[in-house]
Amino acid sequence: MKMLLKIIAVLLVLVIVAAIILPMVIDPNDYREEIAAVVKEQTGRELKIAGDISLTVFPWLGAELGVVELANAPGFKPAVFARTEKVAVRVKLMPLLKKRVEMDTVTIHGLQLNLARDAKGRSNWDDLVAKGGEAKTDKVAPAGQSEPPALAALAIGGVDLSNASIHWDDAQAGQRYQINKLALSTGALGGSDPVDLELSFALEGAIAGQVEASGRLQLDAGKLALSGFGLKVQLAGEGLGGGSVEAQLNADLLLDQVKQQLALNGLKVEVTKLHMAELSGALSFSGSLQGDLEKQRFSAPGLALSGALEGKALPAGKVELQFGADVTADLGAQTLGIEKLALQIAGLNLDGGVQVSKLLDGPRYKGKLHAAPFSPRELLARLGQEAPETADPKVLGMAELEASLSGSTDAVQLASLRVRLDDTTLKGTASVQHFAKPAIRFQLDADALDADRYLPPESAASAQTVASPGAAAAGGATELPLEALRALDVDGKITLGKLTVRKLKLQNISLAIKGRDGLIGVTPAAQLYQGSYKGNIGLDARGKQPKLRLDEKLSGVQIGPLLDDLQDGKGKLTGTTNLQARLSATGADPEAAKKTLGGDVRFSLSDGAVKGVNVARLIREAQAKLQGRSLPADSEPLQTDFAALDGTVQIDKGIATNRDLLVKSPLLRVEGSGTVDLPQEQLNYGIKTTLVATSKGQGGKELANLSGVPIPIRITGSFADPKYGVDMNALMNAKAKAVVSQQKAKVQEKVQEKLQKSLGDKAGGLLKGLFR
């Protein structure tokens, strides 16, 4: 035993002596070429060792290198891939005998790493990765031999990385970044005690600034804890839209590798300064995260975001917002849940929840959204927008919205949609497919809407008028948005119980619209004034100039109340109206459409009157003038009654022509013809009025001597100010012809009577034929 102890002591002395003598006898700098050759063989790259190499054996087995350079991959610049000023690695010799690795602080000073990717997507480290993979594959244990035993323990005295830089040049993406002054320092790693960790670097490129991080790292029995972690960033540059940001993150991280559990507690992100794209402000985010890494399930209850933003990019120049939600995720099942969603922005309160499926393979979502009652008028004011001027200043005072929504990244569907605006409630469904080229579908129903309350006040509307209605129309003419109409893909229907617009009252309104590839069809229908309206409107926007087609029909409508409501009680026509129009026009604005308008109109009115003109009185006034006298004032209504009014209109290039107007009344029979210039809104119309011999109404008895005489009336002027008058010259000619005819008839009658007495009935009949 004594001999054995002596032998061990001698061997130990020899090892110690060798550890001291070997570095003095062997100079590792003599093997630079061999080392470079091995690197060349393994990587295919040149290794240049410019600095000294020093070795230690006992008690630390280690090496320290000076300047070392590794060449870049072929085709990449600069010539150096990696360069270090100093690298030092030391391992305690004796613990290695127990399969324990105890390292001293790993020192790396002056590291320069140039990473790059060319335009074809090839990086300058691909060859190193490939070589490493081949080497690992080639090293297979011989048959009958097992793999080397694992290390019993690993301890590192720390990491000292200083004055490092990393350059990234991506020719494929056109990006270039540079990290300078990179520094990383840690305490001893591998024990169970917490270790201080500090990291800092400067970033240059499209985004430039300073980044600093610190915390206490603890590794113990498969657990990693990073407590008191803090991250500070100060960044600016073109990559941030020419803006800048200052932010700080704090959190505690716990990772249990044995149980595969993750916890991120006390997470708080403070964006203290934000300047980006004319936007500035501050934001605060807080929350926590728990996760099961094995099952890939995570939950983040109580996430909260708040802040205030200012800038020209915001409608009001300033917006305050708050956001909160409970979030869960199951990456294995590809689901995401957002519950207790609450968003407050500019005084608008939204709540709801969303469930997402197929999170990674094409997300689809469904949920509910509710906007609590709010005032649209006040919301616009908070957003810096002026509310439209309305006839009723109380409108836009209350709104509310709720809907069930579902969809994907390229579609959205709204079901159980309910929108309330003031006294109107809208319900239905709506969807949009393919956001790049939207396909819109909807079915909507509203109870009642008084649109007049939302229109501009009459004073504001009248202030916009000009000298003539035609000029006003031309000034307000707006071209159709042809590109938008050509891209429109829509199919839907809107129904409305009651509608008041421009004082017109309609019930049971429906409006169906269908359009695709520039062909648009609109089918409106409504009940109004004891009658009905049906329409079929088509628009072809495929060509350079849009083509409009209208097929309109009014049935049994009481035109009097309609015109009275439309014209503030100044309607000039009454009666039961039937109208059918088939029209077409070409043009992108109303004026162009008027000038190209063409088609046919058929109309009829029964049991009505034309207000504003008493044709019987006009005729009596004309008769009085012929007799050289004047009529006394009377209390007759200023209107012309009729039993029936029928006619057709042919329209060509905006000129409407009527040749068959026929009006039948107790006093008159009226025939009319003439033209109406729609673009210029001018009238040129003539009426021939014939008194009915047996008439007793509207002054018929006083006009008996004009019975059968056609009385011409001319209507001229503009739509806004039509002029009525009797054509006196034509009337006198007609009267003269009537007198001659009457005298001729009297002479004929007298001659016939005398001849009959003297010659008999047969000769009288022959003479009667001569007078014809």
Side-chain angles (χ1 to χ4, degrees):
M1 181 63 68
K2 289 182 180 179
M3 184 59 67
L4 180 60
L5 292 174
K6 289 181 181 180
I7 292 173
I8 293 174
V10 171
L11 291 175
L12 182 59
V13 171
L14 290 175
V15 169
I16 295 173
V17 172
I20 297 173
I21 294 176
L22 281 176
M24 299 173 61
V25 175
I26 300 174
D27 187 359
N29 292 286
D30 295 338
Y31 297 92
R32 296 186 189 201
E33 294 183 0
E34 287 81 354
I35 296 172
V38 173
V39 173
K40 176 72 173 179
E41 179 182 354
Q42 295 294 323
T43 66
R45 300 196 189 187
E46 299 289 340
L47 178 69
K48 181 180 179 181
I49 306 175
D52 292 335
I53 305 175
S54 60
L55 294 176
T56 60
V57 177
F58 188 84
W60 295 92
L61 178 62
E64 182 176 322
L65 291 80
V67 177
V68 178
E69 295 181 353
L70 179 64
N72 212 337
F76 287 91
K77 294 181 180 180
V80 177
F81 172 74
R83 183 181 189 276
T84 60
E85 296 288 340
K86 177 184 176 180
V87 177
V89 180
R90 299 197 308 171
V91 181
K92 276 189 177 181
L93 183 60
M94 298 307 292
L96 289 176
L97 301 177
K98 299 179 182 180
K99 300 177 183 178
R100 293 173 50 237
V101 176
E102 295 182 10
M103 299 180 64
D104 196 5
T105 299
V106 177
T107 302
I108 305 175
H109 291 175
L111 171 66
Q112 295 181 10
L113 185 61
N114 297 309
L115 303 177
R117 180 163 56 196
D118 62 16
K120 296 181 180 180
R122 184 174 63 96
S123 66
N124 64 342
W125 64 86
D126 287 345
D127 56 335
L128 299 180
V129 175
K131 290 287 185 181
E134 292 173 2
K136 186 175 181 180
T137 304
D138 293 341
K139 292 182 180 180
V140 180
Q145 296 186 12
S146 61
E147 293 290 335
L151 293 174
L154 172 65
I156 302 174
V159 176
D160 178 16
L161 175 67
S162 65
N163 198 28
S165 64
I166 301 175
H167 301 255
W168 168 243
D169 188 354
D170 188 345
Q172 188 177 51
Q175 297 176 342
R176 178 175 294 180
Y177 293 96
Q178 181 172 332
I179 294 176
N180 291 326
K181 300 179 181 179
L182 174 61
L184 173 65
S185 64
T186 71
L189 303 174
S192 59
D193 296 331
V195 177
D196 291 333
L197 174 69
E198 292 185 359
L199 171 70
S200 65
F201 60 86
L203 184 63
E204 297 182 6
I207 298 178
Q210 185 70 24
V211 178
E212 297 178 0
S214 62
R216 290 181 63 81
L217 179 66
Q218 183 177 16
L219 299 172
D220 183 19
K223 294 182 180 180
L224 182 151
L226 183 60
S227 60
F229 177 73
L231 175 67
K232 295 181 180 180
V233 297
Q234 294 179 337
L235 302 174
E238 295 180 359
L240 297 175
S244 62
V245 60
E246 294 183 14
Q248 181 173 339
L249 179 148
N250 296 97
D252 293 329
L253 172 68
L254 177 62
L255 174 62
D256 189 332
Q257 294 179 315
V258 177
K259 296 182 179 180
Q260 290 290 290
Q261 299 290 320
L262 172 69
L264 185 64
N265 298 317
L267 176 62
K268 189 171 184 179
V269 180
E270 296 282 349
V271 181
T272 54
K273 292 183 180 180
L274 175 65
H275 299 280
M276 193 177 303
E278 298 184 349
L279 189 68
S280 63
L283 297 172
S284 177
F285 175 81
S286 62
S288 61
L289 173 68
Q290 288 78 40
D292 186 325
L293 300 180
E294 182 178 3
K295 296 180 180 179
Q296 295 184 304
R297 295 176 180 173
F298 303 89
S299 64
L303 293 182
L305 172 68
S306 62
L309 299 174
E310 299 179 1
K312 296 180 180 179
L314 300 175
K318 183 177 181 180
V319 169
E320 295 183 359
L321 61 91
Q322 290 185 350
F323 169 83
D326 293 343
V327 180
T328 58
D330 188 334
L331 299 184
Q334 297 194 47
T335 61
L336 174 70
I338 303 176
E339 299 293 340
K340 298 181 181 179
L341 173 65
L343 174 63
Q344 296 180 9
I345 180 169
L348 181 64
N349 297 324
L350 301 174
D351 60 81
V354 178
Q355 298 294 325
V356 182
S357 60
K358 297 184 179 180
L359 183 62
L360 305 177
D361 297 336
R364 299 192 64 84
Y365 58 87
K366 62 179 180 179
K368 292 184 177 181
L369 182 66
H370 173 247
F374 65 98
S375 169
R377 192 177 293 275
E378 294 178 2
L379 177 62
L380 290 172
R382 284 191 293 266
L383 295 176
Q385 301 296 311
E386 186 176 354
E389 191 176 7
T390 57
D392 185 351
K394 295 182 180 180
V395 299
L396 303 178
M398 197 286 291
E400 185 179 6
L401 179 147
E402 63 179 349
S404 298
L405 68 158
S406 61
S408 65
T409 56
D410 197 34
V412 61
Q413 295 87 35
L414 298 178
S416 303
L417 175 65
R418 186 178 74 89
V419 179
R420 183 181 174 190
L421 178 62
D422 298 321
D423 299 327
T424 300
T425 300
L426 176 72
K427 298 180 180 180
T429 61
S431 68
V432 179
Q433 303 283 341
H434 314 302
F435 293 152
K437 190 178 180 181
I440 304 169
R441 305 292 183 266
F442 59 86
Q443 291 288 331
L444 303 173
D445 176 70
D447 49 5
L449 174 64
D450 186 349
D452 288 345
R453 299 175 64 195
Y454 299 87
L455 295 176
E458 293 185 2
S459 58
S462 60
Q464 299 175 0
T465 60
V466 291
S468 69
T478 302
E479 289 194 0
L480 293 173
L482 295 182
E483 292 302 323
L485 291 173
R486 290 164 184 157
L488 187 64
D489 184 350
V490 62
D491 189 352
K493 185 177 182 179
I494 300 176
T495 57
L496 182 58
K498 295 180 180 180
L499 173 65
T500 300
V501 56
R502 296 297 183 187
K503 300 182 181 179
L504 293 179
K505 300 177 180 64
L506 295 83
Q507 303 84 34
N508 300 325
I509 305 100
S510 68
L511 179 68
I513 179 171
K514 189 172 185 178
R516 190 174 183 180
D517 298 328
L519 289 174
I520 302 169
V522 181
T523 309
Q527 294 178 353
L528 66 165
Y529 299 94
Q530 303 179 36
S532 64
Y533 160 76
K534 291 183 179 180
N536 189 350
I537 304 169
L539 178 65
D540 185 349
R542 295 175 297 179
K544 186 176 180 180
Q545 292 294 329
K547 297 178 180 179
L548 180 66
R549 173 186 52 79
L550 301 97
D551 189 348
E552 310 283 271
K553 186 176 182 180
L554 281 175
S555 301
V557 174
Q558 295 301 315
I559 197 67
L562 185 153
L563 293 178
D564 283 343
D565 286 346
L566 183 64
Q567 300 176 356
D568 295 326
K570 298 178 182 179
K572 297 185 177 181
L573 194 63
T574 66
T576 302
T577 304
N578 295 284
L579 181 144
Q580 186 168 0
R582 290 185 175 88
L583 305 172
S584 63
T586 302
D589 60 74
E591 289 305 299
K594 282 184 182 181
K595 294 176 182 178
T596 60
L597 184 64
D600 299 307
V601 179
R602 181 179 297 277
F603 60 89
S604 67
L605 284 83
S606 59
D607 301 324
V610 177
K611 295 182 179 181
V613 57
N614 188 327
V615 174
R617 182 166 179 82
L618 286 176
I619 296 173
R620 291 197 303 274
E621 289 175 352
Q623 181 188 27
K625 288 182 180 180
L626 291 174
Q627 298 173 350
R629 61 186 181 87
S630 60
L631 289 179
D634 59 30
S635 59
E636 286 187 58
L638 195 60
Q639 67 179 41
T640 300
D641 300 329
F642 61 84
L645 188 155
D646 302 279
T648 61
V649 178
Q650 293 75 42
I651 305 175
D652 183 28
K653 297 180 181 180
I655 306 299
T657 303
N658 165 252
R659 298 185 179 88
D660 59 356
L661 177 67
L662 178 61
V663 181
K664 298 178 181 179
S665 76
L667 171 65
L668 308 169
R669 294 295 181 268
V670 180
E671 296 179 357
S673 63
T675 61
V676 177
D677 189 332
L678 296 175
Q680 300 300 322
E681 298 187 357
Q682 295 293 317
L683 298 164
N684 184 14
Y685 200 79
I687 296 176
K688 291 184 179 180
T689 305
T690 304
L691 298 180
V692 179
T694 60
S695 174
K696 296 182 180 179
Q698 265 198 313
K701 185 175 180 180
E702 299 179 22
L703 300 176
N705 59 341
L706 292 178
S707 175
V709 177
I711 302 172
I713 298 176
R714 177 64 57 182
I715 304 173
T716 59
S718 64
F719 288 2
D721 187 22
K723 307 296 182 183
Y724 304 93
V726 176
D727 189 338
M728 296 302 297
N729 292 330
L731 176 60
M732 293 177 67
N733 291 334
K735 177 63 176 176
K737 291 180 179 179
V739 171
V740 171
S741 298
Q742 290 176 0
Q743 294 299 325
K744 178 181 178 181
K746 291 180 180 180
V747 171
Q748 178 183 353
E749 184 179 355
K750 290 180 179 181
V751 171
Q752 186 174 355
E753 290 177 356
K754 292 180 179 180
L755 290 175
Q756 284 177 347
K757 291 180 180 179
S758 59
L759 299 178
D761 292 338
K762 189 173 183 179
L766 292 174
L767 290 173
K768 184 177 180 180
L770 293 177
F771 282 102
R772 291 178 181 177

